[in-house]
């Protein structure tokens, strides 16, 4: 580890957002090295989600989540068409299971419009029944621009773009610690072939690990690092045919969008995620949680029979706001001005809709460092 590599730009984290950022920088002409601590890119949070292209309905107007989701959705659909990434604009229905929840849908329609999502409309119980005969509700909000995507296919396309523009992806390479100085950033990188590097620019897009990377950076003011809260979400798959051809969402719960029905490209249905606040990442699916899933799903699909749900997988959503603060929180994207160092950019709380917004997040990061 004595030799010091001289690097232009290092992106820490090979999830979908880190890959998108590295791609954007490589296309812009930067000499990019992406460091991923795991043996495979995108093997943690980016492979443990609903694979939904979100429309941008829920997020507070003016928030980074709202703006980057709406822009990112448009960019992502265009990119998928151009690069032939499997996707489908199947639409979704947010279902009110009680008369009291109809008022929430009305507010959500106003929120969506304020965010620039102008294709949504409210439908009554009769139209809901005609669109999805097995789904029951007092009303629903139809979001035609919501879709599904092959997240692994997307990440492979990003990787191809990085390498086609001269970028390098190095796996099994965790950033152990570093030091921010006037000339750039010094990094100690572990793995089977550990090395030290000096980089002119470091972008911390390490997802769940973003906090530990920043805490290991000497010269970074700890006050710039937000609190970390982890929300575990479990998923169950359905044995049998899906009851709907669209995605079905309930009215959201604290910290998440509720146990919703999503589809894969074979039409197989899965349900999730729920919200379980935790301290350490844990990817085991607790079978006992199935009872709550059955109850939640039967609010909009009462025909669900016992023993039709099988444990699938779990994911962890990194948040900057915990349950005491409502469980929401925005994306935190700190450029050099916020981190206090011209060589360091840090991203925290990049959860849903991070996949949808990945191209827009990459543009945002580029705008912070391009000068």
């Amino acid at each position: 580890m004595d030799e010091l590599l001289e690097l232009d730009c290092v992106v820490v984290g090979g999830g979908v957002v880190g890959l998108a950022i590295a791609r954007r920088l490589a296309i812009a002409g930067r000499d990019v090295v992406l460091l991923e601590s795991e043996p495979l890119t995108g093997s943690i949070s980016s492979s443990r989600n609903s694979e939904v292209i979100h429309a941008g309905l829920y997020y507070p107007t003016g928030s980074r989540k709202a703006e980057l989701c709406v822009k990112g959705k448009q960019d992502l659909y265009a990119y998928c068409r151009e690069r032939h990434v499997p996707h489908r604009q199947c639409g979704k229905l947010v279902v009110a299971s009680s008369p009291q929840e109809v008022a929430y849908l009305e507010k959500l329609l106003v929120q969506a419009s304020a965010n620039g999502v102008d294709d949504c409309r409210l439908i009554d119980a009769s139209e809901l029944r005609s669109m999805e005969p097995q789904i029951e509700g007092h009303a629903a909000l139809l979001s035609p621009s919501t879709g599904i995507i092959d997240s692994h296919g997307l990440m492979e396309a990003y990787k191809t773009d990085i390498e086609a523009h001269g970028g390098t992806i190095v796996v099994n390479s965790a950033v152990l610690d570093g030091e921010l100085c006037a000339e750039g950033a010094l990094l100690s990188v572990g793995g089977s072939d550990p090395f030290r590097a000096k980089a002119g620019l470091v972008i911390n897009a390490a997802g769940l690990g973003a906090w530990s990377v920043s805490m290991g950076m000497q010269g970074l003011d700890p006050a710039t690092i937000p609190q970390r809260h982890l929300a575990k979400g479990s998923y169950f798959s359905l044995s049998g045919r899906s009851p709907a051809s669209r995605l079905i969402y309930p009215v959201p719960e604290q910290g998440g969008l509720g146990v919703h029905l999503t589809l894969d490209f074979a039409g197989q249905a899965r349900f999730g995620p729920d919200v379980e606040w935790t301290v350490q990442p844990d990817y085991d699916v607790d079978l006992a949680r199935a009872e709550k899933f059955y109850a939640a799903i039967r609010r909009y699909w009462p025909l669900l029979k016992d023993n039709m749900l099988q444990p699938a997988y779990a994911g962890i959503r990194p948040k900057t706001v915990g349950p005491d603060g409502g469980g929401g929180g925005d994306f935190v994207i700190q450029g050099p001005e916020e981190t206090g160092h011209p060589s360091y950019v840090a991203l925290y709380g990049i959860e849903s809709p991070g996949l949808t917004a990945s191209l827009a997040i990459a543009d945002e990061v580029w705008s912070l460092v391009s000068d």
Side-chain angles (χ1 to χ4, degrees):
M1 260 177 103
D2 292 330
E3 183 182 358
L4 184 67
L5 298 179
E6 296 277 352
L7 302 176
D8 172 28
C9 178
V10 170
V11 176
V12 184
V16 66
V17 171
L19 290 168
I21 293 169
R23 170 189 176 273
R24 182 67 180 86
L25 295 173
I27 289 173
R30 298 298 294 261
D31 187 2
V32 178
V33 175
L34 183 146
L35 301 177
E36 167 55 46
S37 62
E38 298 295 316
L40 297 172
T41 56
S43 59
I44 305 181
S45 299
S46 296
S47 62
R48 295 174 175 274
N49 58 65
S50 299
E51 295 190 299
V52 171
I53 300 177
H54 291 282
L57 313 180
Y58 303 95
Y59 318 110
T61 303
S63 66
R64 271 193 161 125
K65 281 186 177 181
E67 294 179 352
L68 296 176
C69 181
V70 173
K71 180 182 183 298
K73 171 190 64 177
Q74 297 165 349
D75 294 345
L76 188 57
Y77 274 127
Y79 182 80
C80 288
R81 290 190 295 268
E82 176 189 344
R83 296 302 308 278
H84 305 291
V85 176
H87 69 289
R88 186 162 74 241
Q89 190 173 327
C90 55
K92 85 171 178 182
L93 291 162
V94 185
V95 178
S97 297
S98 69
Q100 293 76 20
E101 291 182 346
V102 176
Y104 172 84
L105 296 186
E106 294 169 345
K107 292 180 181 178
L108 186 58
L109 179 61
V110 173
Q111 180 76 66
S113 179
N115 289 352
V117 185
D118 55 8
D119 60 351
C120 296
R121 65 183 180 90
L122 290 172
I123 63 174
D124 60 18
S126 176
E127 187 171 1
L128 171 62
R129 196 174 304 111
S130 67
M131 294 176 71
E132 299 290 356
Q134 294 193 53
I135 304 302
E136 291 191 7
H138 290 263
L141 180 71
L142 173 64
S143 171
S145 61
T146 300
I148 57 174
I149 186 170
D150 176 358
S151 60
H152 296 281
L154 175 66
M155 289 188 284
E156 285 301 315
Y158 286 169
K159 288 167 62 177
T160 298
D161 289 347
I162 292 167
E163 293 170 343
H165 289 86
T168 303
I169 299 170
V170 185
V171 298
N172 290 316
S173 299
V175 173
L176 304 178
D177 54 49
E179 181 181 356
L180 300 174
C181 53
E183 299 79 20
L186 299 174
L187 300 176
S188 296
V189 181
S192 55
D193 295 305
F195 62 92
R196 294 176 65 244
K198 179 181 178 182
L201 176 65
V202 174
I203 298 172
N204 176 4
L208 294 174
W211 285 261
S212 60
V213 170
S214 284
M215 287 187 288
M217 286 290 172
Q218 295 182 44
L220 180 67
D221 184 354
T224 66
I225 305 173
Q227 288 189 333
R228 185 181 84 155
H229 302 272
L230 302 181
K232 177 180 178 180
S234 296
Y235 293 82
F236 284 78
S237 59
L238 178 69
S239 299
R241 293 178 58 115
S242 171
S245 60
R246 297 168 182 82
L247 311 185
I248 307 297
Y249 279 59
V251 166
E253 61 184 340
Q254 187 183 69
L257 299 182
V259 174
H260 48 265
L261 182 160
T262 61
L263 304 167
D264 63 20
F265 291 96
Q268 181 69 36
R270 59 176 176 255
F271 296 91
D274 59 353
V275 177
E276 179 184 1
W277 296 97
T278 184
V279 177
Q280 294 295 332
D282 165 25
Y283 298 105
D284 292 333
V285 178
D286 182 359
L287 294 177
R289 301 191 75 81
E291 183 178 348
K292 292 184 178 179
F293 270 71
Y294 279 104
I297 296 164
R298 283 170 176 152
R299 295 192 70 217
Y300 56 80
W301 182 34
L303 296 180
L304 174 64
K305 297 178 181 178
D306 291 340
N307 302 316
M308 290 184 69
L309 298 181
Q310 308 296 326
Y313 57 91
I316 306 292
R317 301 190 288 282
K319 292 175 173 285
T320 58
V321 176
D324 292 342
D330 202 0
F331 294 153
V332 175
I333 303 175
Q334 297 178 345
E337 185 175 338
E338 289 82 10
T339 65
H341 289 272
S343 58
Y344 195 63
V345 173
L347 293 82
Y348 307 98
I350 310 298
E351 50 152 349
S352 179
L355 186 153
T356 303
S358 55
L359 290 170
I361 291 172
D363 285 342
E364 174 88 352
V365 170
W366 173 244
S367 73
L368 295 173
V369 303
S370 58
D371 293 338

